[in-house]
Amino acid sequence: MIQKIIVVLFLSMLIFSCKDEETKVSFLQKENVQLVQPRIIASNTVIDSFVTIRTDRNIDGAEVFYSSDGSDPTKKSLKLIKELKISEPSELKFRAFHHTYKASEVAVVKLYKKGYSASAIKWHTNSNEKYKGTGDITLINGQKATLEYSNPQWVGFDTIAKATVNFDKNIELKSIDIGYLNDPASWIFPPSEIEVIVNNKEKLSFQLEPLAEVTDRAMMDFTIPINQMVNTISISVKNVQQIPVWHDGNGNKAWLFMDEWIFN
């Protein structure tokens, strides 16, 4: 009888020990699972008066924190509860946290102040037939694209992009932001060179640093200083003519995708 009791107790302890071990393993497995990067939804990324920002949470119990000082968010950062209203240009970083799972990667949203509105744009070269955006005014319509190059706010070129932009009156133009997509895995590279001609007189040229390796997909921009009165400006953006040797597309022309020219 005593032997039977001892066996029962031993088996019970073994079962509970196994369950406890399973719980520990399960918990450790969850600790090693990373939350999906939070999906940030902005009403626009070009600010007229203000824009609203909200996010879809990854999983029940997850919380999203954000920062605006360039640092990566922590649990001590500001918490995104419902939505944000932003009225000034800024770069915001978002990260999801959960008490069980690993924190997500950081999601970045850059917001731009709406600049001067152009009265007309005349194209001297054509975009690719597949990537015409929403038409001739896509790059001056006050709308930014998303990371997906299929988004209708992107205009894609397999050659140089050149256009002349006019304004209704002389404006005091400080700079121009040229928005472009960096997605080398899709053969989409940053511009190699940008040239502007101000008021049909002054020519300004800028060389961009070439990519040295495959990088993560990102929306980027290049700022051109102007600092003078302007009524017309010609903009020429050159694509990479030969993809470098470290890339599978070595020797071919790269794609150039732009989403907005902002006149500050």
PDB file of all heavy atoms in Angstrom, residues 104-134:
ATOM      1  N   SER A 104       8.841  45.444 -31.245  1.00  0.00           N
ATOM      2  CA  SER A 104       8.891  45.441 -32.699  1.00  0.00           C
ATOM      3  C   SER A 104      10.081  46.259 -33.220  1.00  0.00           C
ATOM      4  O   SER A 104      10.760  46.952 -32.461  1.00  0.00           O
ATOM      5  CB  SER A 104       7.604  46.037 -33.264  1.00  0.00           C
ATOM      6  OG  SER A 104       7.586  47.451 -33.054  1.00  0.00           O
ATOM      7  N   GLU A 105      10.301  46.178 -34.518  1.00  0.00           N
ATOM      8  CA  GLU A 105      11.229  47.099 -35.168  1.00  0.00           C
ATOM      9  C   GLU A 105      10.599  48.498 -35.149  1.00  0.00           C
ATOM     10  O   GLU A 105       9.393  48.651 -34.954  1.00  0.00           O
ATOM     11  CB  GLU A 105      11.492  46.668 -36.608  1.00  0.00           C
ATOM     12  CG  GLU A 105      12.205  45.330 -36.753  1.00  0.00           C
ATOM     13  CD  GLU A 105      13.632  45.375 -36.258  1.00  0.00           C
ATOM     14  OE1 GLU A 105      14.215  46.484 -36.224  1.00  0.00           O
ATOM     15  OE2 GLU A 105      14.164  44.305 -35.894  1.00  0.00           O
ATOM     16  N   VAL A 106      11.418  49.507 -35.384  1.00  0.00           N
ATOM     17  CA  VAL A 106      10.954  50.894 -35.350  1.00  0.00           C
ATOM     18  C   VAL A 106      10.360  51.280 -36.702  1.00  0.00           C
ATOM     19  O   VAL A 106      10.957  51.017 -37.755  1.00  0.00           O
ATOM     20  CB  VAL A 106      12.105  51.854 -34.990  1.00  0.00           C
ATOM     21  CG1 VAL A 106      11.651  53.306 -35.072  1.00  0.00           C
ATOM     22  CG2 VAL A 106      12.631  51.546 -33.596  1.00  0.00           C
ATOM     23  N   ALA A 107       9.176  51.877 -36.685  1.00  0.00           N
ATOM     24  CA  ALA A 107       8.554  52.433 -37.892  1.00  0.00           C
ATOM     25  C   ALA A 107       8.770  53.946 -37.883  1.00  0.00           C
ATOM     26  O   ALA A 107       8.620  54.594 -36.854  1.00  0.00           O
ATOM     27  CB  ALA A 107       7.061  52.113 -37.923  1.00  0.00           C
ATOM     28  N   VAL A 108       9.127  54.495 -39.032  1.00  0.00           N
ATOM     29  CA  VAL A 108       9.453  55.917 -39.126  1.00  0.00           C
ATOM     30  C   VAL A 108       8.485  56.610 -40.079  1.00  0.00           C
ATOM     31  O   VAL A 108       8.187  56.105 -41.165  1.00  0.00           O
ATOM     32  CB  VAL A 108      10.898  56.127 -39.622  1.00  0.00           C
ATOM     33  CG1 VAL A 108      11.228  57.616 -39.702  1.00  0.00           C
ATOM     34  CG2 VAL A 108      11.878  55.412 -38.713  1.00  0.00           C
ATOM     35  N   VAL A 109       7.983  57.763 -39.667  1.00  0.00           N
ATOM     36  CA  VAL A 109       7.119  58.588 -40.519  1.00  0.00           C
ATOM     37  C   VAL A 109       7.701  60.001 -40.557  1.00  0.00           C
ATOM     38  O   VAL A 109       7.911  60.618 -39.510  1.00  0.00           O
ATOM     39  CB  VAL A 109       5.668  58.642 -39.990  1.00  0.00           C
ATOM     40  CG1 VAL A 109       4.844  59.617 -40.816  1.00  0.00           C
ATOM     41  CG2 VAL A 109       5.043  57.261 -40.028  1.00  0.00           C
ATOM     42  N   LYS A 110       7.968  60.487 -41.753  1.00  0.00           N
ATOM     43  CA  LYS A 110       8.479  61.847 -41.905  1.00  0.00           C
ATOM     44  C   LYS A 110       7.360  62.734 -42.447  1.00  0.00           C
ATOM     45  O   LYS A 110       6.689  62.380 -43.426  1.00  0.00           O
ATOM     46  CB  LYS A 110       9.685  61.876 -42.848  1.00  0.00           C
ATOM     47  CG  LYS A 110      10.387  63.224 -42.891  1.00  0.00           C
ATOM     48  CD  LYS A 110      11.707  63.144 -43.637  1.00  0.00           C
ATOM     49  CE  LYS A 110      12.422  64.488 -43.614  1.00  0.00           C
ATOM     50  NZ  LYS A 110      13.747  64.434 -44.297  1.00  0.00           N
ATOM     51  N   LEU A 111       7.147  63.875 -41.797  1.00  0.00           N
ATOM     52  CA  LEU A 111       6.093  64.802 -42.173  1.00  0.00           C
ATOM     53  C   LEU A 111       6.704  66.086 -42.730  1.00  0.00           C
ATOM     54  O   LEU A 111       7.672  66.619 -42.181  1.00  0.00           O
ATOM     55  CB  LEU A 111       5.214  65.131 -40.964  1.00  0.00           C
ATOM     56  CG  LEU A 111       4.537  63.930 -40.291  1.00  0.00           C
ATOM     57  CD1 LEU A 111       3.812  64.374 -39.033  1.00  0.00           C
ATOM     58  CD2 LEU A 111       3.585  63.231 -41.246  1.00  0.00           C
ATOM     59  N   TYR A 112       6.106  66.565 -43.825  1.00  0.00           N
ATOM     60  CA  TYR A 112       6.624  67.740 -44.523  1.00  0.00           C
ATOM     61  C   TYR A 112       5.605  68.877 -44.449  1.00  0.00           C
ATOM     62  O   TYR A 112       4.392  68.638 -44.460  1.00  0.00           O
ATOM     63  CB  TYR A 112       6.898  67.426 -46.000  1.00  0.00           C
ATOM     64  CG  TYR A 112       7.875  66.303 -46.220  1.00  0.00           C
ATOM     65  CD1 TYR A 112       7.470  64.969 -46.129  1.00  0.00           C
ATOM     66  CD2 TYR A 112       9.205  66.559 -46.534  1.00  0.00           C
ATOM     67  CE1 TYR A 112       8.365  63.936 -46.338  1.00  0.00           C
ATOM     68  CE2 TYR A 112      10.100  65.534 -46.749  1.00  0.00           C
ATOM     69  CZ  TYR A 112       9.676  64.214 -46.653  1.00  0.00           C
ATOM     70  OH  TYR A 112      10.550  63.188 -46.867  1.00  0.00           O
ATOM     71  N   LYS A 113       6.087  70.099 -44.410  1.00  0.00           N
ATOM     72  CA  LYS A 113       5.204  71.261 -44.467  1.00  0.00           C
ATOM     73  C   LYS A 113       4.858  71.545 -45.919  1.00  0.00           C
ATOM     74  O   LYS A 113       5.737  71.555 -46.785  1.00  0.00           O
ATOM     75  CB  LYS A 113       5.886  72.485 -43.844  1.00  0.00           C
ATOM     76  CG  LYS A 113       4.953  73.670 -43.637  1.00  0.00           C
ATOM     77  CD  LYS A 113       3.976  73.410 -42.505  1.00  0.00           C
ATOM     78  CE  LYS A 113       3.131  74.649 -42.198  1.00  0.00           C
ATOM     79  NZ  LYS A 113       2.132  74.376 -41.132  1.00  0.00           N
ATOM     80  N   LYS A 114       3.583  71.773 -46.192  1.00  0.00           N
ATOM     81  CA  LYS A 114       3.173  72.101 -47.555  1.00  0.00           C
ATOM     82  C   LYS A 114       3.821  73.401 -47.985  1.00  0.00           C
ATOM     83  O   LYS A 114       3.824  74.386 -47.255  1.00  0.00           O
ATOM     84  CB  LYS A 114       1.653  72.222 -47.639  1.00  0.00           C
ATOM     85  CG  LYS A 114       1.152  72.509 -49.048  1.00  0.00           C
ATOM     86  CD  LYS A 114      -0.356  72.633 -49.089  1.00  0.00           C
ATOM     87  CE  LYS A 114      -0.831  72.945 -50.507  1.00  0.00           C
ATOM     88  NZ  LYS A 114      -2.300  73.091 -50.569  1.00  0.00           N
ATOM     89  N   GLY A 115       4.406  73.409 -49.164  1.00  0.00           N
ATOM     90  CA  GLY A 115       5.089  74.594 -49.667  1.00  0.00           C
ATOM     91  C   GLY A 115       4.210  75.401 -50.617  1.00  0.00           C
ATOM     92  O   GLY A 115       2.981  75.320 -50.590  1.00  0.00           O
ATOM     93  N   TYR A 116       4.866  76.174 -51.468  1.00  0.00           N
ATOM     94  CA  TYR A 116       4.151  76.954 -52.482  1.00  0.00           C
ATOM     95  C   TYR A 116       3.509  76.015 -53.497  1.00  0.00           C
ATOM     96  O   TYR A 116       4.082  74.986 -53.860  1.00  0.00           O
ATOM     97  CB  TYR A 116       5.106  77.889 -53.226  1.00  0.00           C
ATOM     98  CG  TYR A 116       5.687  79.004 -52.384  1.00  0.00           C
ATOM     99  CD1 TYR A 116       7.003  78.945 -51.945  1.00  0.00           C
ATOM    100  CD2 TYR A 116       4.922  80.113 -52.042  1.00  0.00           C
ATOM    101  CE1 TYR A 116       7.546  79.971 -51.177  1.00  0.00           C
ATOM    102  CE2 TYR A 116       5.455  81.150 -51.275  1.00  0.00           C
ATOM    103  CZ  TYR A 116       6.762  81.062 -50.848  1.00  0.00           C
ATOM    104  OH  TYR A 116       7.301  82.071 -50.091  1.00  0.00           O
ATOM    105  N   SER A 117       2.331  76.382 -53.963  1.00  0.00           N
ATOM    106  CA  SER A 117       1.644  75.609 -54.998  1.00  0.00           C
ATOM    107  C   SER A 117       2.047  76.121 -56.369  1.00  0.00           C
ATOM    108  O   SER A 117       1.972  77.324 -56.640  1.00  0.00           O
ATOM    109  CB  SER A 117       0.124  75.708 -54.830  1.00  0.00           C
ATOM    110  OG  SER A 117      -0.279  75.125 -53.606  1.00  0.00           O
ATOM    111  N   ALA A 118       2.495  75.225 -57.218  1.00  0.00           N
ATOM    112  CA  ALA A 118       2.850  75.607 -58.578  1.00  0.00           C
ATOM    113  C   ALA A 118       1.586  75.779 -59.411  1.00  0.00           C
ATOM    114  O   ALA A 118       0.587  75.086 -59.191  1.00  0.00           O
ATOM    115  CB  ALA A 118       3.745  74.548 -59.196  1.00  0.00           C
ATOM    116  N   SER A 119       1.634  76.698 -60.357  1.00  0.00           N
ATOM    117  CA  SER A 119       0.459  76.932 -61.218  1.00  0.00           C
ATOM    118  C   SER A 119       0.445  75.996 -62.417  1.00  0.00           C
ATOM    119  O   SER A 119      -0.619  75.690 -62.965  1.00  0.00           O
ATOM    120  CB  SER A 119       0.429  78.384 -61.696  1.00  0.00           C
ATOM    121  OG  SER A 119       1.616  78.692 -62.417  1.00  0.00           O
ATOM    122  N   ALA A 120       1.628  75.525 -62.838  1.00  0.00           N
ATOM    123  CA  ALA A 120       1.688  74.647 -64.009  1.00  0.00           C
ATOM    124  C   ALA A 120       3.014  73.883 -64.014  1.00  0.00           C
ATOM    125  O   ALA A 120       4.008  74.332 -63.445  1.00  0.00           O
ATOM    126  CB  ALA A 120       1.546  75.456 -65.292  1.00  0.00           C
ATOM    127  N   ILE A 121       2.987  72.722 -64.657  1.00  0.00           N
ATOM    128  CA  ILE A 121       4.205  71.944 -64.871  1.00  0.00           C
ATOM    129  C   ILE A 121       4.204  71.436 -66.306  1.00  0.00           C
ATOM    130  O   ILE A 121       3.184  70.948 -66.807  1.00  0.00           O
ATOM    131  CB  ILE A 121       4.319  70.771 -63.866  1.00  0.00           C
ATOM    132  CG1 ILE A 121       5.636  70.010 -64.062  1.00  0.00           C
ATOM    133  CG2 ILE A 121       3.127  69.838 -63.964  1.00  0.00           C
ATOM    134  CD1 ILE A 121       5.932  68.989 -62.967  1.00  0.00           C
ATOM    135  N   LYS A 122       5.330  71.575 -66.988  1.00  0.00           N
ATOM    136  CA  LYS A 122       5.467  71.105 -68.364  1.00  0.00           C
ATOM    137  C   LYS A 122       6.584  70.073 -68.405  1.00  0.00           C
ATOM    138  O   LYS A 122       7.733  70.360 -68.037  1.00  0.00           O
ATOM    139  CB  LYS A 122       5.798  72.256 -69.311  1.00  0.00           C
ATOM    140  CG  LYS A 122       5.954  71.816 -70.764  1.00  0.00           C
ATOM    141  CD  LYS A 122       6.291  72.985 -71.671  1.00  0.00           C
ATOM    142  CE  LYS A 122       6.454  72.507 -73.124  1.00  0.00           C
ATOM    143  NZ  LYS A 122       6.812  73.629 -74.028  1.00  0.00           N
ATOM    144  N   TRP A 123       6.253  68.874 -68.845  1.00  0.00           N
ATOM    145  CA  TRP A 123       7.234  67.803 -68.891  1.00  0.00           C
ATOM    146  C   TRP A 123       7.980  67.796 -70.226  1.00  0.00           C
ATOM    147  O   TRP A 123       7.379  67.937 -71.285  1.00  0.00           O
ATOM    148  CB  TRP A 123       6.559  66.452 -68.675  1.00  0.00           C
ATOM    149  CG  TRP A 123       6.231  66.222 -67.235  1.00  0.00           C
ATOM    150  CD1 TRP A 123       5.040  66.413 -66.609  1.00  0.00           C
ATOM    151  CD2 TRP A 123       7.155  65.785 -66.231  1.00  0.00           C
ATOM    152  NE1 TRP A 123       5.154  66.131 -65.277  1.00  0.00           N
ATOM    153  CE2 TRP A 123       6.438  65.740 -65.006  1.00  0.00           C
ATOM    154  CE3 TRP A 123       8.503  65.436 -66.239  1.00  0.00           C
ATOM    155  CZ2 TRP A 123       7.032  65.346 -63.816  1.00  0.00           C
ATOM    156  CZ3 TRP A 123       9.093  65.052 -65.051  1.00  0.00           C
ATOM    157  CH2 TRP A 123       8.366  65.012 -63.863  1.00  0.00           C
ATOM    158  N   HIS A 124       9.315  67.636 -70.143  1.00  0.00           N
ATOM    159  CA  HIS A 124      10.157  67.553 -71.343  1.00  0.00           C
ATOM    160  C   HIS A 124      10.598  66.126 -71.617  1.00  0.00           C
ATOM    161  O   HIS A 124      11.121  65.840 -72.703  1.00  0.00           O
ATOM    162  CB  HIS A 124      11.380  68.461 -71.176  1.00  0.00           C
ATOM    163  CG  HIS A 124      11.036  69.871 -70.807  1.00  0.00           C
ATOM    164  ND1 HIS A 124      10.304  70.702 -71.633  1.00  0.00           N
ATOM    165  CD2 HIS A 124      11.282  70.585 -69.682  1.00  0.00           C
ATOM    166  CE1 HIS A 124      10.139  71.876 -71.036  1.00  0.00           C
ATOM    167  NE2 HIS A 124      10.711  71.822 -69.852  1.00  0.00           N
ATOM    168  N   THR A 125      10.429  65.242 -70.650  1.00  0.00           N
ATOM    169  CA  THR A 125      10.656  63.807 -70.837  1.00  0.00           C
ATOM    170  C   THR A 125       9.439  63.061 -70.300  1.00  0.00           C
ATOM    171  O   THR A 125       8.646  63.627 -69.535  1.00  0.00           O
ATOM    172  CB  THR A 125      11.922  63.320 -70.100  1.00  0.00           C
ATOM    173  OG1 THR A 125      11.778  63.596 -68.694  1.00  0.00           O
ATOM    174  CG2 THR A 125      13.168  64.017 -70.622  1.00  0.00           C
ATOM    175  N   ASN A 126       9.308  61.820 -70.683  1.00  0.00           N
ATOM    176  CA  ASN A 126       8.132  61.040 -70.296  1.00  0.00           C
ATOM    177  C   ASN A 126       8.478  59.986 -69.250  1.00  0.00           C
ATOM    178  O   ASN A 126       9.544  59.369 -69.300  1.00  0.00           O
ATOM    179  CB  ASN A 126       7.526  60.339 -71.519  1.00  0.00           C
ATOM    180  CG  ASN A 126       7.023  61.333 -72.547  1.00  0.00           C
ATOM    181  OD1 ASN A 126       6.427  62.353 -72.207  1.00  0.00           O
ATOM    182  ND2 ASN A 126       7.270  61.038 -73.821  1.00  0.00           N
ATOM    183  N   SER A 127       7.547  59.773 -68.329  1.00  0.00           N
ATOM    184  CA  SER A 127       7.690  58.677 -67.384  1.00  0.00           C
ATOM    185  C   SER A 127       7.416  57.367 -68.105  1.00  0.00           C
ATOM    186  O   SER A 127       6.906  57.339 -69.228  1.00  0.00           O
ATOM    187  CB  SER A 127       6.710  58.855 -66.220  1.00  0.00           C
ATOM    188  OG  SER A 127       5.373  58.892 -66.696  1.00  0.00           O
ATOM    189  N   ASN A 128       7.755  56.253 -67.444  1.00  0.00           N
ATOM    190  CA  ASN A 128       7.459  54.951 -68.021  1.00  0.00           C
ATOM    191  C   ASN A 128       5.944  54.756 -68.092  1.00  0.00           C
ATOM    192  O   ASN A 128       5.209  55.192 -67.208  1.00  0.00           O
ATOM    193  CB  ASN A 128       8.093  53.857 -67.162  1.00  0.00           C
ATOM    194  CG  ASN A 128       7.932  52.473 -67.761  1.00  0.00           C
ATOM    195  OD1 ASN A 128       6.922  51.807 -67.550  1.00  0.00           O
ATOM    196  ND2 ASN A 128       8.943  52.034 -68.500  1.00  0.00           N
ATOM    197  N   GLU A 129       5.487  54.098 -69.125  1.00  0.00           N
ATOM    198  CA  GLU A 129       4.049  53.890 -69.343  1.00  0.00           C
ATOM    199  C   GLU A 129       3.365  53.208 -68.163  1.00  0.00           C
ATOM    200  O   GLU A 129       2.202  53.458 -67.863  1.00  0.00           O
ATOM    201  CB  GLU A 129       3.827  53.053 -70.607  1.00  0.00           C
ATOM    202  CG  GLU A 129       3.998  53.816 -71.903  1.00  0.00           C
ATOM    203  CD  GLU A 129       2.887  54.835 -72.119  1.00  0.00           C
ATOM    204  OE1 GLU A 129       1.735  54.551 -71.740  1.00  0.00           O
ATOM    205  OE2 GLU A 129       3.172  55.924 -72.642  1.00  0.00           O
ATOM    206  N   LYS A 130       4.092  52.315 -67.461  1.00  0.00           N
ATOM    207  CA  LYS A 130       3.491  51.566 -66.356  1.00  0.00           C
ATOM    208  C   LYS A 130       3.374  52.383 -65.077  1.00  0.00           C
ATOM    209  O   LYS A 130       2.597  52.042 -64.185  1.00  0.00           O
ATOM    210  CB  LYS A 130       4.327  50.311 -66.072  1.00  0.00           C
ATOM    211  CG  LYS A 130       4.337  49.282 -67.187  1.00  0.00           C
ATOM    212  CD  LYS A 130       5.196  48.087 -66.775  1.00  0.00           C
ATOM    213  CE  LYS A 130       5.249  47.029 -67.859  1.00  0.00           C
ATOM    214  NZ  LYS A 130       6.131  45.888 -67.460  1.00  0.00           N
ATOM    215  N   TYR A 131       4.168  53.461 -64.975  1.00  0.00           N
ATOM    216  CA  TYR A 131       4.251  54.184 -63.703  1.00  0.00           C
ATOM    217  C   TYR A 131       4.070  55.686 -63.917  1.00  0.00           C
ATOM    218  O   TYR A 131       4.968  56.483 -63.658  1.00  0.00           O
ATOM    219  CB  TYR A 131       5.591  53.885 -63.024  1.00  0.00           C
ATOM    220  CG  TYR A 131       5.865  52.414 -62.865  1.00  0.00           C
ATOM    221  CD1 TYR A 131       6.837  51.783 -63.643  1.00  0.00           C
ATOM    222  CD2 TYR A 131       5.140  51.640 -61.953  1.00  0.00           C
ATOM    223  CE1 TYR A 131       7.090  50.417 -63.502  1.00  0.00           C
ATOM    224  CE2 TYR A 131       5.374  50.280 -61.813  1.00  0.00           C
ATOM    225  CZ  TYR A 131       6.341  49.675 -62.594  1.00  0.00           C
ATOM    226  OH  TYR A 131       6.573  48.338 -62.455  1.00  0.00           O
ATOM    227  N   LYS A 132       2.892  56.050 -64.374  1.00  0.00           N
ATOM    228  CA  LYS A 132       2.594  57.455 -64.670  1.00  0.00           C
ATOM    229  C   LYS A 132       1.997  58.214 -63.498  1.00  0.00           C
ATOM    230  O   LYS A 132       1.651  59.389 -63.621  1.00  0.00           O
ATOM    231  CB  LYS A 132       1.623  57.533 -65.862  1.00  0.00           C
ATOM    232  CG  LYS A 132       2.261  57.168 -67.190  1.00  0.00           C
ATOM    233  CD  LYS A 132       1.291  57.455 -68.332  1.00  0.00           C
ATOM    234  CE  LYS A 132       1.991  57.310 -69.674  1.00  0.00           C
ATOM    235  NZ  LYS A 132       1.088  57.668 -70.809  1.00  0.00           N
ATOM    236  N   GLY A 133       1.864  57.545 -62.368  1.00  0.00           N
ATOM    237  CA  GLY A 133       1.248  58.199 -61.216  1.00  0.00           C
ATOM    238  C   GLY A 133      -0.204  58.514 -61.497  1.00  0.00           C
ATOM    239  O   GLY A 133      -0.931  57.722 -62.113  1.00  0.00           O
ATOM    240  N   THR A 134      -0.639  59.697 -61.061  1.00  0.00           N
ATOM    241  CA  THR A 134      -2.022  60.130 -61.300  1.00  0.00           C
ATOM    242  C   THR A 134      -2.108  61.123 -62.452  1.00  0.00           C
ATOM    243  O   THR A 134      -3.135  61.745 -62.660  1.00  0.00           O
ATOM    244  CB  THR A 134      -2.609  60.769 -60.029  1.00  0.00           C
ATOM    245  OG1 THR A 134      -1.803  61.888 -59.645  1.00  0.00           O
ATOM    246  CG2 THR A 134      -2.650  59.769 -58.881  1.00  0.00           C
TER     247      THR A 134
END
